[in-house]
Amino acid sequence: MNKSIQGAYQLAKERYAELGIDTDVALEQLKQIPISIHCWQGDDVGGFEVAEAGSSGGGIMATGNYPGRARTPEELRADLDEALSLIPGTHRLNLHACYMETDGEFIDRDQIKPEHFKNWVEWAKAKGMGMDFNPTFFAHSKADSGFTLSSNNDDIRNFWIAHGKACRKISEYMGKELGTPSVMNIWIPDGFKDIPVDRNGARARLKASLDEMCAEKVSPQYHLDAVESKLFGLGSESCVVGSHEFYMGYALKNNLLLCLDTGHFHPTEVVSDKISSVLQFVDEILLHVSRPVRWDSDHVVTYNEELLAIAQEIIRNKFQDRVHIGLDFFDASINRIAAWVIGSRNMLKALCAALLEPSEQLKTLENEGNYTSRLAILEEQKFLPVAAVWDYYCAQQNVPVGLAWLNEVEKYEKNILNKRD
Ligand code: RNT
Ligand code: ZN
């Protein structure tokens, strides 16, 4: 390892030791936290479905047309390989059902089977990675009305229930094959563009559909169901059927995971404040870490105060086993591999910083009512040499230190991405 990285780390180690923090222990803990990296940043939520493929549509949309989008599963896996080689640690792959591989054959979503995901599973297995999964309830002719599981058309509703059931089998297969439960997240675009008069009807149908879809018990050793709410979306500006209250209630009643997407709440609400509330009542949650800009805009995650606050909530409360961390953003206006790398590294940096906090000392001060010292330490720690610890971690994990990863992405862009049409 480079001498200056090591030297800086030694100095940082001493500095943190003064606060009672062992940086080696912190890095050992960081290594144990997997991030579920979303496949859909790599191709603008396109997927590889035959016939029904196309725009992301149905309530979400990636904007931009940066060259080099992955067009095939092989390209997407190669791009993920590149991104993973630049992100320290062992992580998970979060796959959407529309990334099925059907050998050129049209297989509708109610008919998909584990075999259509075999290549992904083999790919993950070879790397010792776990996988998470998502039914795809959008970008399909049967979602064009804007309603899926809450549709008032029985054919449509039953089709999507069948899709959900098929996906739970696939998720179970992933969990079995990879030896770690697959978290299957349910997000639907259903909602009303303009003011509805029968919100209740739609919500009652959604509840009935979820009950039917999730009726079969699957071992939590292999598969976990999660439900994701949203405040509003494209085409569901006036009412989202799967609102926060709806899914919070559903998760509590049925003992499912609640998924909190950081871009799915009112702009002054923060997910960091919700974690310790919902974890009083649900066993586990899934996070979709994104970056909202004015609305649900799915920007690349930056190292900002809220990201740090989320990491602090997880680490301070030792919630690592109860919070599944997934990323959810899609930016097609910049190099897509860089987007993955920036967002993932930021999530890890925030966890690294949180692991270096003297949280027990801070809690004691708070309990004693010593808010002066609490604030002083919180502010002081912002300027401690966390970067030296992070750099050392990257070097130790054999990934580029500092901005060196960007050179790798630029090389890949020149040699690989720019050769794609
Ligand atoms: C959409 C939700 C959902 C999707 C992914 C692709 O608003 O955030 O999680 O982004 O399923
Ligand atoms: Zn999300």
Side-chain angles (χ1 to χ4, degrees), residues 360-401:
E360 291 315 312
Q361 185 194 359
L362 284 162
K363 280 183 199 166
T364 305
L365 290 169
E366 184 168 285
N367 284 331
E368 291 167 357
N370 190 345
Y371 305 144
T372 310
S373 298
R374 179 186 64 184
L375 182 62
I377 293 172
L378 283 173
E379 288 307 295
E380 200 57 35
Q381 90 181 7
K382 290 180 179 168
F383 254 50
L384 289 180
V386 56
V389 179
W390 169 252
D391 286 350
Y392 176 81
Y393 182 61
C394 289
Q396 189 195 56
Q397 297 295 309
N398 291 314
V399 304
V401 173

mmCIF file of all heavy atoms in Angstrom, residues 360-401:
data_model
loop_
_atom_site.group_PDB
_atom_site.id
_atom_site.type_symbol
_atom_site.label_atom_id
_atom_site.label_comp_id
_atom_site.label_asym_id
_atom_site.label_seq_id
_atom_site.Cartn_x
_atom_site.Cartn_y
_atom_site.Cartn_z
ATOM 1 N N GLU A 360 -21.586 6.391 21.838
ATOM 2 C CA GLU A 360 -21.943 6.121 23.243
ATOM 3 C C GLU A 360 -21.716 7.355 24.109
ATOM 4 O O GLU A 360 -22.544 7.715 24.934
ATOM 5 C CB GLU A 360 -21.143 4.918 23.783
ATOM 6 C CG GLU A 360 -21.545 3.581 23.156
ATOM 7 C CD GLU A 360 -23.069 3.376 23.071
ATOM 8 O OE1 GLU A 360 -23.770 3.601 24.077
ATOM 9 O OE2 GLU A 360 -23.557 3.010 21.977
ATOM 10 N N GLN A 361 -20.591 8.004 23.852
ATOM 11 C CA GLN A 361 -20.283 9.232 24.601
ATOM 12 C C GLN A 361 -21.355 10.302 24.339
ATOM 13 O O GLN A 361 -21.839 10.960 25.258
ATOM 14 C CB GLN A 361 -18.903 9.743 24.156
ATOM 15 C CG GLN A 361 -18.421 10.939 24.941
ATOM 16 C CD GLN A 361 -17.235 11.625 24.256
ATOM 17 O OE1 GLN A 361 -16.755 11.194 23.206
ATOM 18 N NE2 GLN A 361 -16.760 12.698 24.866
ATOM 19 N N LEU A 362 -21.737 10.411 23.080
ATOM 20 C CA LEU A 362 -22.749 11.419 22.722
ATOM 21 C C LEU A 362 -24.095 11.109 23.388
ATOM 22 O O LEU A 362 -24.791 12.001 23.860
ATOM 23 C CB LEU A 362 -22.905 11.479 21.201
ATOM 24 C CG LEU A 362 -21.780 12.209 20.470
ATOM 25 C CD1 LEU A 362 -21.781 11.850 18.980
ATOM 26 C CD2 LEU A 362 -21.889 13.717 20.656
ATOM 27 N N LYS A 363 -24.440 9.830 23.423
ATOM 28 C CA LYS A 363 -25.711 9.454 24.062
ATOM 29 C C LYS A 363 -25.687 9.765 25.558
ATOM 30 O O LYS A 363 -26.669 10.241 26.116
ATOM 31 C CB LYS A 363 -25.986 7.959 23.841
ATOM 32 C CG LYS A 363 -26.560 7.645 22.468
ATOM 33 C CD LYS A 363 -26.888 6.152 22.348
ATOM 34 C CE LYS A 363 -27.010 5.741 20.897
ATOM 35 N NZ LYS A 363 -26.991 4.304 20.686
ATOM 36 N N THR A 364 -24.541 9.496 26.176
ATOM 37 C CA THR A 364 -24.419 9.793 27.612
ATOM 38 C C THR A 364 -24.584 11.295 27.853
ATOM 39 O O THR A 364 -25.328 11.712 28.741
ATOM 40 C CB THR A 364 -23.041 9.316 28.138
ATOM 41 O OG1 THR A 364 -22.915 7.932 27.816
ATOM 42 C CG2 THR A 364 -22.894 9.518 29.630
ATOM 43 N N LEU A 365 -23.905 12.083 27.053
ATOM 44 C CA LEU A 365 -24.013 13.539 27.218
ATOM 45 C C LEU A 365 -25.463 13.989 27.063
ATOM 46 O O LEU A 365 -25.959 14.818 27.825
ATOM 47 C CB LEU A 365 -23.124 14.249 26.183
ATOM 48 C CG LEU A 365 -21.614 14.117 26.416
ATOM 49 C CD1 LEU A 365 -20.843 14.615 25.191
ATOM 50 C CD2 LEU A 365 -21.189 14.902 27.667
ATOM 51 N N GLU A 366 -26.117 13.422 26.083
ATOM 52 C CA GLU A 366 -27.509 13.803 25.831
ATOM 53 C C GLU A 366 -28.388 13.421 27.021
ATOM 54 O O GLU A 366 -29.226 14.206 27.476
ATOM 55 C CB GLU A 366 -28.007 13.109 24.561
ATOM 56 C CG GLU A 366 -29.403 13.502 24.156
ATOM 57 C CD GLU A 366 -29.706 13.011 22.742
ATOM 58 O OE1 GLU A 366 -29.200 13.617 21.778
ATOM 59 O OE2 GLU A 366 -30.414 12.000 22.619
ATOM 60 N N ASN A 367 -28.164 12.221 27.538
ATOM 61 C CA ASN A 367 -28.956 11.771 28.695
ATOM 62 C C ASN A 367 -28.721 12.644 29.916
ATOM 63 O O ASN A 367 -29.608 12.830 30.742
ATOM 64 C CB ASN A 367 -28.649 10.307 29.030
ATOM 65 C CG ASN A 367 -29.336 9.382 28.044
ATOM 66 O OD1 ASN A 367 -30.388 9.725 27.500
ATOM 67 N ND2 ASN A 367 -28.747 8.225 27.800
ATOM 68 N N GLU A 368 -27.507 13.172 30.010
ATOM 69 C CA GLU A 368 -27.197 14.053 31.145
ATOM 70 C C GLU A 368 -27.694 15.471 30.916
ATOM 71 O O GLU A 368 -27.519 16.332 31.760
ATOM 72 C CB GLU A 368 -25.675 14.100 31.358
ATOM 73 C CG GLU A 368 -25.103 12.778 31.859
ATOM 74 C CD GLU A 368 -23.576 12.719 31.768
ATOM 75 O OE1 GLU A 368 -22.955 13.698 31.261
ATOM 76 O OE2 GLU A 368 -23.010 11.691 32.187
ATOM 77 N N GLY A 369 -28.224 15.709 29.732
ATOM 78 C CA GLY A 369 -28.704 17.067 29.433
ATOM 79 C C GLY A 369 -27.585 18.002 29.009
ATOM 80 O O GLY A 369 -27.775 19.217 28.951
ATOM 81 N N ASN A 370 -26.427 17.451 28.725
ATOM 82 C CA ASN A 370 -25.292 18.300 28.339
ATOM 83 C C ASN A 370 -25.320 18.530 26.816
ATOM 84 O O ASN A 370 -24.527 17.975 26.067
ATOM 85 C CB ASN A 370 -23.983 17.632 28.773
ATOM 86 C CG ASN A 370 -22.799 18.567 28.614
ATOM 87 O OD1 ASN A 370 -22.894 19.598 27.927
ATOM 88 N ND2 ASN A 370 -21.682 18.221 29.239
ATOM 89 N N TYR A 371 -26.210 19.361 26.398
ATOM 90 C CA TYR A 371 -26.401 19.605 24.962
ATOM 91 C C TYR A 371 -25.279 20.456 24.374
ATOM 92 O O TYR A 371 -25.049 20.437 23.175
ATOM 93 C CB TYR A 371 -27.759 20.254 24.708
ATOM 94 C CG TYR A 371 -28.925 19.460 25.285
ATOM 95 C CD1 TYR A 371 -30.032 20.103 25.835
ATOM 96 C CD2 TYR A 371 -28.901 18.056 25.283
ATOM 97 C CE1 TYR A 371 -31.084 19.368 26.370
ATOM 98 C CE2 TYR A 371 -29.948 17.328 25.825
ATOM 99 C CZ TYR A 371 -31.033 17.977 26.363
ATOM 100 O OH TYR A 371 -32.066 17.264 26.903
ATOM 101 N N THR A 372 -24.616 21.193 25.233
ATOM 102 C CA THR A 372 -23.484 22.013 24.766
ATOM 103 C C THR A 372 -22.382 21.102 24.239
ATOM 104 O O THR A 372 -21.909 21.259 23.109
ATOM 105 C CB THR A 372 -22.930 22.867 25.931
ATOM 106 O OG1 THR A 372 -24.011 23.546 26.551
ATOM 107 C CG2 THR A 372 -21.889 23.851 25.437
ATOM 108 N N SER A 373 -21.997 20.126 25.057
ATOM 109 C CA SER A 373 -20.929 19.217 24.627
ATOM 110 C C SER A 373 -21.377 18.379 23.441
ATOM 111 O O SER A 373 -20.593 18.086 22.540
ATOM 112 C CB SER A 373 -20.515 18.291 25.769
ATOM 113 O OG SER A 373 -20.019 19.064 26.830
ATOM 114 N N ARG A 374 -22.649 17.984 23.449
ATOM 115 C CA ARG A 374 -23.164 17.190 22.326
ATOM 116 C C ARG A 374 -22.973 17.950 21.011
ATOM 117 O O ARG A 374 -22.435 17.427 20.037
ATOM 118 C CB ARG A 374 -24.659 16.885 22.545
ATOM 119 C CG ARG A 374 -25.299 16.089 21.419
ATOM 120 C CD ARG A 374 -26.808 15.932 21.623
ATOM 121 N NE ARG A 374 -27.492 17.228 21.583
ATOM 122 C CZ ARG A 374 -28.801 17.390 21.818
ATOM 123 N NH1 ARG A 374 -29.564 16.363 22.124
ATOM 124 N NH2 ARG A 374 -29.332 18.608 21.754
ATOM 125 N N LEU A 375 -23.382 19.193 21.005
ATOM 126 C CA LEU A 375 -23.256 19.984 19.779
ATOM 127 C C LEU A 375 -21.786 20.225 19.422
ATOM 128 O O LEU A 375 -21.389 20.126 18.260
ATOM 129 C CB LEU A 375 -23.988 21.339 19.935
ATOM 130 C CG LEU A 375 -23.970 22.230 18.710
ATOM 131 C CD1 LEU A 375 -24.671 21.564 17.519
ATOM 132 C CD2 LEU A 375 -24.629 23.590 19.013
ATOM 133 N N ALA A 376 -20.989 20.501 20.456
ATOM 134 C CA ALA A 376 -19.564 20.771 20.202
ATOM 135 C C ALA A 376 -18.896 19.559 19.553
ATOM 136 O O ALA A 376 -18.166 19.685 18.563
ATOM 137 C CB ALA A 376 -18.869 21.129 21.512
ATOM 138 N N ILE A 377 -19.170 18.378 20.079
ATOM 139 C CA ILE A 377 -18.532 17.161 19.539
ATOM 140 C C ILE A 377 -19.064 16.844 18.144
ATOM 141 O O ILE A 377 -18.300 16.508 17.230
ATOM 142 C CB ILE A 377 -18.733 15.962 20.501
ATOM 143 C CG1 ILE A 377 -17.959 16.223 21.797
ATOM 144 C CG2 ILE A 377 -18.267 14.657 19.856
ATOM 145 C CD1 ILE A 377 -18.228 15.207 22.889
ATOM 146 N N LEU A 378 -20.382 16.972 17.976
ATOM 147 C CA LEU A 378 -20.950 16.694 16.651
ATOM 148 C C LEU A 378 -20.323 17.590 15.591
ATOM 149 O O LEU A 378 -20.039 17.142 14.467
ATOM 150 C CB LEU A 378 -22.478 16.909 16.665
ATOM 151 C CG LEU A 378 -23.307 15.799 17.314
ATOM 152 C CD1 LEU A 378 -24.770 16.220 17.416
ATOM 153 C CD2 LEU A 378 -23.196 14.491 16.535
ATOM 154 N N GLU A 379 -20.101 18.843 15.948
ATOM 155 C CA GLU A 379 -19.510 19.763 14.976
ATOM 156 C C GLU A 379 -18.032 19.478 14.776
ATOM 157 O O GLU A 379 -17.537 19.514 13.657
ATOM 158 C CB GLU A 379 -19.730 21.210 15.426
ATOM 159 C CG GLU A 379 -21.169 21.656 15.276
ATOM 160 C CD GLU A 379 -21.702 21.409 13.869
ATOM 161 O OE1 GLU A 379 -21.204 22.026 12.911
ATOM 162 O OE2 GLU A 379 -22.612 20.564 13.713
ATOM 163 N N GLU A 380 -17.333 19.179 15.859
ATOM 164 C CA GLU A 380 -15.900 18.910 15.768
ATOM 165 C C GLU A 380 -15.648 17.681 14.878
ATOM 166 O O GLU A 380 -14.728 17.651 14.070
ATOM 167 C CB GLU A 380 -15.355 18.676 17.185
ATOM 168 C CG GLU A 380 -13.853 18.860 17.321
ATOM 169 C CD GLU A 380 -13.358 20.227 16.896
ATOM 170 O OE1 GLU A 380 -14.061 21.231 17.113
ATOM 171 O OE2 GLU A 380 -12.261 20.273 16.304
ATOM 172 N N GLN A 381 -16.496 16.685 15.034
ATOM 173 C CA GLN A 381 -16.236 15.427 14.319
ATOM 174 C C GLN A 381 -16.379 15.580 12.804
ATOM 175 O O GLN A 381 -15.826 14.796 12.041
ATOM 176 C CB GLN A 381 -17.110 14.303 14.868
ATOM 177 C CG GLN A 381 -18.435 14.146 14.206
ATOM 178 C CD GLN A 381 -19.258 13.022 14.821
ATOM 179 O OE1 GLN A 381 -18.891 12.434 15.825
ATOM 180 N NE2 GLN A 381 -20.380 12.724 14.224
ATOM 181 N N LYS A 382 -17.095 16.604 12.382
ATOM 182 C CA LYS A 382 -17.250 16.807 10.932
ATOM 183 C C LYS A 382 -15.899 17.078 10.261
ATOM 184 O O LYS A 382 -15.743 16.841 9.075
ATOM 185 C CB LYS A 382 -18.191 17.983 10.651
ATOM 186 C CG LYS A 382 -19.637 17.709 10.991
ATOM 187 C CD LYS A 382 -20.507 18.917 10.685
ATOM 188 C CE LYS A 382 -21.963 18.625 11.000
ATOM 189 N NZ LYS A 382 -22.794 19.853 10.981
ATOM 190 N N PHE A 383 -14.963 17.608 11.052
ATOM 191 C CA PHE A 383 -13.673 17.965 10.462
ATOM 192 C C PHE A 383 -12.561 16.976 10.827
ATOM 193 O O PHE A 383 -11.400 17.236 10.594
ATOM 194 C CB PHE A 383 -13.284 19.401 10.879
ATOM 195 C CG PHE A 383 -13.452 20.375 9.745
ATOM 196 C CD1 PHE A 383 -14.638 20.412 9.023
ATOM 197 C CD2 PHE A 383 -12.429 21.248 9.378
ATOM 198 C CE1 PHE A 383 -14.808 21.283 7.968
ATOM 199 C CE2 PHE A 383 -12.582 22.115 8.317
ATOM 200 C CZ PHE A 383 -13.774 22.138 7.604
ATOM 201 N N LEU A 384 -12.922 15.863 11.398
ATOM 202 C CA LEU A 384 -11.900 14.849 11.706
ATOM 203 C C LEU A 384 -11.486 14.135 10.417
ATOM 204 O O LEU A 384 -12.227 14.167 9.425
ATOM 205 C CB LEU A 384 -12.442 13.877 12.745
ATOM 206 C CG LEU A 384 -12.598 14.462 14.160
ATOM 207 C CD1 LEU A 384 -13.138 13.411 15.100
ATOM 208 C CD2 LEU A 384 -11.275 15.011 14.687
ATOM 209 N N PRO A 385 -10.324 13.494 10.423
ATOM 210 C CA PRO A 385 -9.781 12.944 9.158
ATOM 211 C C PRO A 385 -10.454 11.655 8.668
ATOM 212 O O PRO A 385 -9.795 10.645 8.434
ATOM 213 C CB PRO A 385 -8.303 12.727 9.480
ATOM 214 C CG PRO A 385 -8.254 12.548 10.948
ATOM 215 C CD PRO A 385 -9.368 13.358 11.534
ATOM 216 N N VAL A 386 -11.752 11.718 8.461
ATOM 217 C CA VAL A 386 -12.479 10.542 7.969
ATOM 218 C C VAL A 386 -11.968 10.128 6.583
ATOM 219 O O VAL A 386 -11.919 8.938 6.251
ATOM 220 C CB VAL A 386 -14.018 10.785 7.975
ATOM 221 C CG1 VAL A 386 -14.407 12.005 7.167
ATOM 222 C CG2 VAL A 386 -14.782 9.567 7.491
ATOM 223 N N ALA A 387 -11.546 11.093 5.792
ATOM 224 C CA ALA A 387 -11.068 10.789 4.438
ATOM 225 C C ALA A 387 -9.849 9.872 4.466
ATOM 226 O O ALA A 387 -9.703 8.994 3.602
ATOM 227 C CB ALA A 387 -10.743 12.081 3.690
ATOM 228 N N ALA A 388 -8.994 10.051 5.478
ATOM 229 C CA ALA A 388 -7.792 9.203 5.571
ATOM 230 C C ALA A 388 -8.197 7.753 5.860
ATOM 231 O O ALA A 388 -7.571 6.805 5.361
ATOM 232 C CB ALA A 388 -6.861 9.738 6.659
ATOM 233 N N VAL A 389 -9.244 7.595 6.656
ATOM 234 C CA VAL A 389 -9.720 6.245 6.990
ATOM 235 C C VAL A 389 -10.371 5.616 5.762
ATOM 236 O O VAL A 389 -10.158 4.452 5.426
ATOM 237 C CB VAL A 389 -10.697 6.298 8.195
ATOM 238 C CG1 VAL A 389 -11.217 4.910 8.522
ATOM 239 C CG2 VAL A 389 -10.018 6.931 9.410
ATOM 240 N N TRP A 390 -11.159 6.413 5.069
ATOM 241 C CA TRP A 390 -11.835 5.934 3.855
ATOM 242 C C TRP A 390 -10.818 5.539 2.787
ATOM 243 O O TRP A 390 -10.933 4.481 2.151
ATOM 244 C CB TRP A 390 -12.792 7.017 3.346
ATOM 245 C CG TRP A 390 -13.332 6.756 1.978
ATOM 246 C CD1 TRP A 390 -12.993 7.414 0.830
ATOM 247 C CD2 TRP A 390 -14.301 5.757 1.598
ATOM 248 N NE1 TRP A 390 -13.690 6.887 -0.236
ATOM 249 C CE2 TRP A 390 -14.495 5.875 0.206
ATOM 250 C CE3 TRP A 390 -15.007 4.781 2.298
ATOM 251 C CZ2 TRP A 390 -15.376 5.051 -0.510
ATOM 252 C CZ3 TRP A 390 -15.883 3.960 1.597
ATOM 253 C CH2 TRP A 390 -16.056 4.094 0.213
ATOM 254 N N ASP A 391 -9.815 6.375 2.583
ATOM 255 C CA ASP A 391 -8.783 6.076 1.574
ATOM 256 C C ASP A 391 -8.078 4.758 1.899
ATOM 257 O O ASP A 391 -7.839 3.928 1.022
ATOM 258 C CB ASP A 391 -7.726 7.202 1.526
ATOM 259 C CG ASP A 391 -8.263 8.455 0.842
ATOM 260 O OD1 ASP A 391 -9.353 8.401 0.250
ATOM 261 O OD2 ASP A 391 -7.568 9.496 0.915
ATOM 262 N N TYR A 392 -7.776 4.601 3.174
ATOM 263 C CA TYR A 392 -7.100 3.371 3.608
ATOM 264 C C TYR A 392 -7.997 2.162 3.328
ATOM 265 O O TYR A 392 -7.537 1.123 2.839
ATOM 266 C CB TYR A 392 -6.773 3.489 5.102
ATOM 267 C CG TYR A 392 -6.154 2.259 5.704
ATOM 268 C CD1 TYR A 392 -4.791 1.989 5.574
ATOM 269 C CD2 TYR A 392 -6.938 1.368 6.438
ATOM 270 C CE1 TYR A 392 -4.228 0.858 6.136
ATOM 271 C CE2 TYR A 392 -6.382 0.233 7.016
ATOM 272 C CZ TYR A 392 -5.024 -0.022 6.856
ATOM 273 O OH TYR A 392 -4.467 -1.137 7.420
ATOM 274 N N TYR A 393 -9.279 2.329 3.613
ATOM 275 C CA TYR A 393 -10.238 1.232 3.372
ATOM 276 C C TYR A 393 -10.262 0.859 1.887
ATOM 277 O O TYR A 393 -10.226 -0.314 1.518
ATOM 278 C CB TYR A 393 -11.627 1.658 3.842
ATOM 279 C CG TYR A 393 -12.691 0.589 3.676
ATOM 280 C CD1 TYR A 393 -12.582 -0.634 4.337
ATOM 281 C CD2 TYR A 393 -13.813 0.801 2.869
ATOM 282 C CE1 TYR A 393 -13.548 -1.617 4.188
ATOM 283 C CE2 TYR A 393 -14.791 -0.175 2.720
ATOM 284 C CZ TYR A 393 -14.648 -1.386 3.383
ATOM 285 O OH TYR A 393 -15.603 -2.357 3.237
ATOM 286 N N CYS A 394 -10.300 1.864 1.029
ATOM 287 C CA CYS A 394 -10.312 1.592 -0.419
ATOM 288 C C CYS A 394 -9.052 0.839 -0.830
ATOM 289 O O CYS A 394 -9.121 -0.144 -1.588
ATOM 290 C CB CYS A 394 -10.429 2.898 -1.214
ATOM 291 S SG CYS A 394 -12.059 3.649 -1.063
ATOM 292 N N ALA A 395 -7.905 1.299 -0.334
ATOM 293 C CA ALA A 395 -6.632 0.641 -0.682
ATOM 294 C C ALA A 395 -6.638 -0.799 -0.176
ATOM 295 O O ALA A 395 -6.270 -1.726 -0.902
ATOM 296 C CB ALA A 395 -5.467 1.427 -0.082
ATOM 297 N N GLN A 396 -7.094 -0.969 1.059
ATOM 298 C CA GLN A 396 -7.141 -2.307 1.661
ATOM 299 C C GLN A 396 -8.058 -3.245 0.860
ATOM 300 O O GLN A 396 -7.780 -4.422 0.698
ATOM 301 C CB GLN A 396 -7.683 -2.129 3.085
ATOM 302 C CG GLN A 396 -7.628 -3.319 3.977
ATOM 303 C CD GLN A 396 -8.519 -3.072 5.197
ATOM 304 O OE1 GLN A 396 -9.706 -2.792 5.081
ATOM 305 N NE2 GLN A 396 -7.925 -3.185 6.373
ATOM 306 N N GLN A 397 -9.131 -2.698 0.312
ATOM 307 C CA GLN A 397 -10.095 -3.494 -0.458
ATOM 308 C C GLN A 397 -9.736 -3.569 -1.945
ATOM 309 O O GLN A 397 -10.553 -3.991 -2.774
ATOM 310 C CB GLN A 397 -11.501 -2.905 -0.314
ATOM 311 C CG GLN A 397 -12.048 -2.934 1.108
ATOM 312 C CD GLN A 397 -12.253 -4.341 1.615
ATOM 313 O OE1 GLN A 397 -12.878 -5.155 0.967
ATOM 314 N NE2 GLN A 397 -11.677 -4.643 2.775
ATOM 315 N N ASN A 398 -8.560 -3.069 -2.281
ATOM 316 C CA ASN A 398 -8.083 -3.122 -3.673
ATOM 317 C C ASN A 398 -8.976 -2.404 -4.667
ATOM 318 O O ASN A 398 -9.200 -2.895 -5.776
ATOM 319 C CB ASN A 398 -7.913 -4.576 -4.130
ATOM 320 C CG ASN A 398 -6.768 -5.222 -3.407
ATOM 321 O OD1 ASN A 398 -5.695 -4.618 -3.298
ATOM 322 N ND2 ASN A 398 -7.000 -6.403 -2.882
ATOM 323 N N VAL A 399 -9.490 -1.276 -4.279
ATOM 324 C CA VAL A 399 -10.198 -0.437 -5.245
ATOM 325 C C VAL A 399 -9.486 0.916 -5.275
ATOM 326 O O VAL A 399 -8.766 1.261 -4.334
ATOM 327 C CB VAL A 399 -11.711 -0.266 -4.906
ATOM 328 C CG1 VAL A 399 -12.401 -1.616 -4.796
ATOM 329 C CG2 VAL A 399 -11.930 0.566 -3.659
ATOM 330 N N PRO A 400 -9.643 1.669 -6.352
ATOM 331 C CA PRO A 400 -8.901 2.925 -6.465
ATOM 332 C C PRO A 400 -9.169 3.876 -5.297
ATOM 333 O O PRO A 400 -10.274 3.959 -4.779
ATOM 334 C CB PRO A 400 -9.435 3.525 -7.771
ATOM 335 C CG PRO A 400 -9.966 2.361 -8.543
ATOM 336 C CD PRO A 400 -10.463 1.390 -7.536
ATOM 337 N N VAL A 401 -8.113 4.572 -4.919
ATOM 338 C CA VAL A 401 -8.204 5.556 -3.833
ATOM 339 C C VAL A 401 -8.514 6.922 -4.438
ATOM 340 O O VAL A 401 -7.988 7.281 -5.488
ATOM 341 C CB VAL A 401 -6.865 5.591 -3.060
ATOM 342 C CG1 VAL A 401 -6.852 6.719 -2.032
ATOM 343 C CG2 VAL A 401 -6.620 4.242 -2.395
#
